[in-house]
Amino acid sequence: MLTEENVVLAKISEQERVPLVELKELISCGKVVILNNPRHKESESCAVGKNLSTKINVNLGVSPRASDLDEELQKLNAAIRLGADTIMDLSLGDNMDEVRNSILRASKVPVGTVPIYQAAYQVELNNHLENMKVADIFEVIQKHAEDGVDFITVHTGLTRKALEHVRKDRVLGVVSRGGSILASWMYANKKENPLYENYDQLLELARQYDLALSLGDGLRPGCIADGSDRAQFDELITLGELTRRALEAGVKVIVEGPGHIMLNEVTMNVEVQKKLCHEVPFYILGPLVTDIAPGYDHITSAIGSAIAGASGADFICCVSPAEHLGLPDLRDIEEGTVSGKIAAHAADLVKGHKKALQRDLEMAQARKELNWNRQFSLALDSERAQRIFHMKNSTQETGCTMCGDMCAIRIYQEGEERDALERCGRS
Amino acid sequence: MLTEENVVLAKISEQERVPLVELKELISCGKVVILNNPRHKESESCAVGKNLSTKINVNLGVSPRASDLDEELQKLNAAIRLGADTIMDLSLGDNMDEVRNSILRASKVPVGTVPIYQAAYQVELNNHLENMKVADIFEVIQKHAEDGVDFITVHTGLTRKALEHVRKDRVLGVVSRGGSILASWMYANKKENPLYENYDQLLELARQYDLALSLGDGLRPGCIADGSDRAQFDELITLGELTRRALEAGVKVIVEGPGHIMLNEVTMNVEVQKKLCHEVPFYILGPLVTDIAPGYDHITSAIGSAIAGASGADFICCVSPAEHLGLPDLRDIEEGTVSGKIAAHAADLVKGHKKALQRDLEMAQARKELNWNRQFSLALDSERAQRIFHMKNSTQETGCTMCGDMCAIRIYQEGEERDALERCGRS
């Protein structure tokens, strides 16, 4: 039957080259999630999960000290142009509602948020985070769902038990903003995590709005020394249990992962998450493979997320060069988006996605032919490749300024061709 | 005895935290190589290999279409400031001798070259590469050694047999400049690789000058489709044999590796190289994990080389954002150097180097304290981190523009501290 849902699934099936029947099976067991709140009419659906190409998310949003809606919309367009599959609006400030709605209305890709930020913002302004009410949190979540937000991060697995490990063992405590809000509230009120305690209510709300839950890792390690530690895995075990409850309730669920961890722990982290969380999509925030490269964390993160993707992570959160230093500007967003796209694409080659392999093959052929325009059109960031090339090469010659006439590709081909001709002549 | 050599080894032993007796043992079996031509008096020694921190090399050099010696010297200083352990001068052009000597005299780190470029340059100018004489090649090598070059790339493993596989199976042929010169010469003259055939002479010359040989992979794959193919491994097997002969002759030897290969083939490549080449140092050129990111190949390469380093590669050749597009400028060199340094450092964390782990730990503590100046001083690129921070944060407040007052680190710590105080009060 040509329902709207079937049209969407048929399109995804074709784009991803996954048979429709297999896609439906993967969705029904939760291994693939379709991000689309029906109220977000401006957006196409985005499918994340098993056997699909690796997706990337780009974080945007104003902050109380740097707030310019127009700039955020520019960032949104740049991110989408460069291949962002989803956007998260992480805004903080008095104009959160306006920014979120503007982004939703302008975005043709699904949009996610972290509602706890908004719930905390008003009380925190008065330095009274402990006064945040549970009802306030759910009110914000419902508002976001009504606005059309497609997925929300909820740090449901951060429990009092897990916090004990943070307190005892950690160098850098809690670095997730949502996690720190909840932890601070839990300390002040001597209560359990309200999103954990009221998880059934959350599931009900999510189902009602066809809202996907992204179970956040509020205890993700913020430094190499805290990577893959007891607090992190305690939270992950809880997230696994909550994932099962979401699956049973028929709610779309994905799970978020670290953070800062050493390179050789990345694959292990993906495998443990996949196992404990019933193979639902894994949304990875980094991982950053070292702490000491502020200004270049799009690169430390691309290293980690490429390995994670190749190991089975489904969804990569891009990190910009401004990470750990301040709010990203337009150029940071561009750089971060492409870095995430590189990681996702490198992972897709490993996952064996034919479209990905084909694109690299075509690039190799364009290089063989020294066909620059074809190379630009196949590049992940065509504009940048073209700009750099034209800046460095003012002449109309075939090679580039790297080698001049001593272009390796040209020298080898001419040698081989001459040899082939001579062989023909002899035969 | 306090010979000059012993002073050097004692210093390396201390810097690398490897006992002197172990270091000497590693050197004697070829698993560690000390790069230092006694004629390069301006330079300190650089040790690469097993149990040592991962080193990085930065490529410089003029080209016939872009030649500015002052700019190359600026690049040299920038690369060294940002952590380059060695420099390779890949210059092409009429002023090759002048550029090489200027770089040697200005460089306090070892300098490598690829002498075949210069041997080929004069004849190729007249489009008669086939006229290059074997004696010319050795004359150039000797001249470089006399000038004080510390290590040279020699594509000794590219044989006629290996070329047959290139011809039959490859998408992109030969992309190594030195490899293409030799291959084209071999086709035209219907002869074997002169560096392979005259390898004993090469060994003799290297020993005479205490020159390290870097056995180049002239058949390194230039695209994902050619990655880890038969031609590449045919050459590697030959390089393994030639490595053994160098070890037997008491010549310092390291081996170069790919190239463009898929992420999941990187570790395998390192392991095969280490096995076939008797665990001599592995000098890795990338690997780039996708072909489609011109303008960002410092990132595709950082991904590959971080994994390679973590898998045991000892020496990383930095790739700049200009790769595949043109000659790198100063900014490209800076970006490429830091990217390589990130990969090397991420690898060193995995290799368990205490200094590396300590630096990340100190960064984590500086972040916990929101001590920005300490963060800058611990950063791989202090200047850039500081510049970005000051651009984005005009106020004197503790947090940054990312979160404003809602800084996760601050919120969590205040919550935890208040809780700890209350617990104390109760007890």
Side-chain angles (χ1 to χ4, degrees), chain B residues 129-154:
Chain B
L129 195 52
E130 66 274 18
N131 293 344
M132 182 174 68
K133 302 282 169 253
V134 178
D136 297 342
I137 303 174
F138 279 92
E139 198 176 294
V140 172
I141 293 174
Q142 185 157 10
K143 181 161 64 173
H144 286 210
E146 292 270 1
D147 287 347
V149 166
D150 301 275
F151 61 106
I152 59 169
T153 294
V154 275

Side-chain angles (χ1 to χ4, degrees), chain A residues 124-150:
Chain A
E124 173 60 13
L125 274 187
N126 311 316
N127 254 316
H128 288 297
L129 195 53
E130 67 273 19
N131 293 344
M132 181 174 67
K133 301 283 169 253
V134 178
D136 297 341
I137 303 174
F138 278 92
E139 199 176 291
V140 173
I141 293 174
Q142 185 156 9
K143 181 161 64 173
H144 287 210
E146 292 270 0
D147 287 347
V149 166
D150 300 275

